[in-house]
Amino acid sequence: DDGGGYAERQAPRWMASDAPAHAFQPGSTPWVSGRRYLAFNMVGSVVAVAQDSYNSIDITFHDKSLHRDVHFSDSFRFALAALTESGCLFATTTKALANDHALRSADDAESVLSFRAFASWSASADWMFKLPLKEHPRCIAASSHGAAAVTSLGMLRLFTCGGVQRHIESLPGRVVTCVARGDLLLVVLEALGSVKSNMGARRLEYEYVLMTMDGQTRVARGCCPVGPGAEIVWVGFSEEGHPATCDSKGMLRVLHRYWAASDTCWVPVLDTRRLASERGNHETFWPVALSASQFIVATCKPKTRFPPFPAPILDELDVEVPLLHTDTSVGQQEARLFAARLFGDQLSGEAERSGGDYPGGASGQSRDDLEQDKLLLRLIQLACKADKSQRAVDLAQMIKLDRSFDAAIKIAVYQKQTTLAERLMRIKDTKFGSEDDEYDNVHNSDDEQPAPAALNARRHRPPAATYG
């Protein structure tokens, strides 16, 4: 090429990547003006402040009634932290693994795992371990059921809350991060499908392993998707227990139906980049936590990836499943319904997996079912107004409660959709069984006419007056 600009551009050549995966700790940030977040979640934040010969650690809780804030001098210069309501797990590691140039560069010192308990019936609930030479933590996790550390030698080490070593195993691949909630541990690894080009670009592929905190049960495992050219930047659990990831393209995903391994799938629940574009600004969102209806984030200034000091006020982004036509009323209602069903299934599935109760018991489950049915009834009403009977039938088949089906029939009658009302009555009897003698002879075939009294009984008042 003589610089004339007419030479054909050379296409990149892709090859298997042999560079080590860059591990990260969820909720941590680089050093900024002598400070960095070691952990940041809905419990609180852990901030390291650089001093001359040591660091100081500040643990701040969002709920001041939970615990008093903690401050101590850190002679170990901890590089990793995992914060829970019951305590905080700390670890030292090497400069390369921590991506922290302020740490030592040689592997000639022992790394340390240290757990500081916040409240316990025992006065000596803290514990500490030194790792063998040449073995250093890549990432750590902690929950109410114990602690975990993945090391540079591929070791997964599991501990009880009291410091009992209860499991050790070797993990395949290169671990990127890990996070824990309750009795579950999620480990994310870079997959063998990751490739790099001769021009420096990388295409990352990920895998995940979901296991119990005692290491005895593999709950689920498989591929962990990201967008084209993206990488995972945050991993956590939703308030309801969904394992969740967010990639560098701003797509938030949850692992659904992990309790039924053959049916497990990753579901996108929010596109934060599209949300920022719709707002007409260039803000970035730093993930903190996820619930059924909201993604908790720290909003950062344009071209800034990490939150400032002191800790900012957190923002709540409504979960918006990226379905089609969400700029319409029907599309918005469908997205709300999808999210409600998704997180409702999660609560039921997790209760079944763990052998526990649905949050709030039977009344809580009935309340959540009712909220989903209300969304369905709004969509059925819109379908009736648009004369889309088949759509109304499809929606009605998702209804969970008997009385909600009665309300759907009343909507059809009120909208003068007699044929639809007849079909809905037959579906109701098939799904819930006949409860009223006046319906006994109505449901023999699609061609039969319903008893007039059955329909007329529903004509005297609109659905809004009969269903809250």
Side-chain angles (χ1 to χ4, degrees):
D1 183 4
D2 59 3
Y6 47 80
E8 183 178 354
R9 179 175 297 177
Q10 183 180 7
R13 295 191 304 272
W14 296 93
M15 64 199 78
S17 176
D18 56 359
H22 169 59
F24 71 91
Q25 191 69 23
S28 65
T29 68
W31 288 99
V32 177
S33 301
R35 295 173 179 265
R36 65 173 297 210
Y37 290 104
L38 296 181
F40 199 136
N41 56 30
M42 292 308 296
V43 176
S45 62
V46 181
V47 177
V49 182
Q51 307 292 344
D52 291 337
S53 58
Y54 64 95
N55 292 342
S56 60
I57 301 293
D58 295 312
I59 303 177
T60 304
F61 299 96
H62 299 311
D63 184 359
K64 302 301 181 182
S65 65
L66 181 65
H67 300 294
R68 291 185 298 177
D69 293 348
V70 177
H71 175 85
F72 65 92
S73 297
D74 169 26
S75 59
F76 292 103
R77 294 183 180 267
F78 293 123
L80 308 173
L83 179 63
T84 72
E85 292 184 357
S86 57
C88 190
L89 178 66
F90 293 93
T92 62
T93 190
T94 63
K95 177 177 70 174
L97 290 176
N99 195 27
D100 182 357
H101 295 287
L103 296 177
R104 61 181 181 272
S105 58
D107 294 347
D108 56 355
E110 296 173 318
S111 288
V112 171
L113 287 172
S114 175
F115 183 79
R116 295 178 65 98
F118 297 140
S120 174
W121 62 270
S122 173
S124 56
D126 297 353
W127 49 265
M128 178 181 292
F129 285 96
K130 291 184 178 180
L131 272 63
L133 289 174
K134 305 295 183 180
E135 182 179 0
H136 308 284
R138 289 178 61 86
C139 53
I140 59 175
S143 74
S144 59
H145 282 61
V150 181
T151 72
S152 57
L153 298 184
M155 298 289 189
L156 170 62
R157 299 180 179 273
L158 299 179
F159 307 84
T160 67
C161 291
V164 177
Q165 302 180 71
R166 63 179 172 186
H167 185 71
I168 181 173
E169 67 176 83
S170 293
L171 289 177
R174 294 166 289 183
V175 174
V176 174
T177 192
C178 62
V179 66
R181 177 187 183 272
D183 68 333
L184 291 179
L185 172 68
L186 176 65
V187 180
V188 177
L189 312 94
E190 185 178 344
L192 296 177
S194 295
V195 295
K196 65 178 180 179
S197 75
N198 58 334
M199 298 180 180
R202 298 185 73 195
R203 292 177 182 170
L204 297 177
E205 301 286 340
Y206 296 93
E207 298 175 348
Y208 75 91
V209 178
L210 183 66
M211 66 178 74
T212 53
M213 283 293 287
D214 59 6
Q216 302 305 304
T217 304
R218 289 291 193 276
V219 179
R221 65 186 307 163
C223 297
C224 193
V226 293
E231 59 183 301
I232 292 178
V233 296
W234 177 81
V235 174
F237 283 87
S238 73
E239 183 179 339
E240 294 74 23
H242 266 130
T245 67
C246 186
D247 66 26
S248 56
K249 300 291 186 180
M251 184 62 74
L252 176 67
R253 299 175 177 87
V254 297
L255 182 64
H256 190 47
R257 298 191 61 81
Y258 56 82
W259 57 89
S262 61
D263 299 327
T264 299
C265 63
W266 287 93
V267 179
V269 294
L270 180 63
D271 185 348
T272 62
R273 181 168 292 187
R274 186 179 73 173
L275 180 63
S277 177
E278 291 174 351
R279 291 183 175 186
N281 56 44
H282 300 285
E283 295 175 333
T284 58
F285 303 114
W286 192 69
V288 175
L290 173 65
S291 70
S293 59
Q294 293 176 325
F295 188 32
I296 313 301
V297 300
T299 302
C300 304
K301 295 179 180 180
K303 299 182 180 181
T304 303
R305 290 181 53 194
F306 303 105
F309 296 95
I313 297 175
L314 300 180
D315 294 321
E316 299 172 345
L317 306 181
D318 291 336
V319 168
E320 297 180 6
V321 180
L323 301 183
L324 300 177
H325 294 184
T326 53
D327 55 341
T328 66
S329 176
V330 172
Q332 291 171 2
Q333 292 290 339
E334 285 184 341
R336 293 191 188 101
L337 173 63
F338 186 94
R341 289 168 61 86
L342 180 78
F343 288 97
D345 288 348
Q346 162 62 25
L347 293 176
S348 300
E350 175 59 20
E352 179 180 353
R353 182 198 70 82
S354 62
D357 296 327
Y358 191 96
S363 60
Q365 187 167 9
S366 296
R367 182 177 59 252
D368 289 346
D369 288 347
L370 179 59
E371 290 303 315
Q372 293 179 36
D373 284 356
K374 286 181 177 180
L375 292 171
L376 284 165
L377 291 172
R378 295 190 189 105
L379 284 166
I380 290 172
Q381 188 172 33
L382 291 172
C384 288
K385 288 181 177 180
D387 199 21
K388 295 182 179 294
S389 298
Q390 183 58 56
R391 177 182 173 84
V393 169
D394 295 344
L395 291 164
Q397 290 174 336
M398 303 179 192
I399 288 176
K400 295 188 175 184
L401 302 179
D402 190 339
R403 59 181 174 137
S404 300
F405 228 108
D406 289 336
I409 295 172
K410 292 176 183 178
I411 290 173
V413 172
Y414 185 73
Q415 296 293 334
K416 297 181 174 56
Q417 300 278 342
T418 305
T419 303
L420 173 62
E422 297 168 8
R423 183 172 290 275
L424 292 182
M425 283 192 293
R426 286 192 291 272
I427 295 173
K428 175 179 180 287
D429 277 355
T430 300
K431 187 170 185 177
F432 298 102
S434 179
E435 295 181 357
D436 199 322
D437 290 339
E438 65 180 344
Y439 297 104
D440 284 347
N441 300 316
V442 175
H443 315 83
N444 296 324
S445 70
D446 289 353
D447 297 327
E448 291 185 0
Q449 298 296 320
L455 292 179
N456 292 335
R458 293 175 169 81
R459 294 182 187 276
H460 67 283
R461 51 182 175 172
T466 61
Y467 192 84

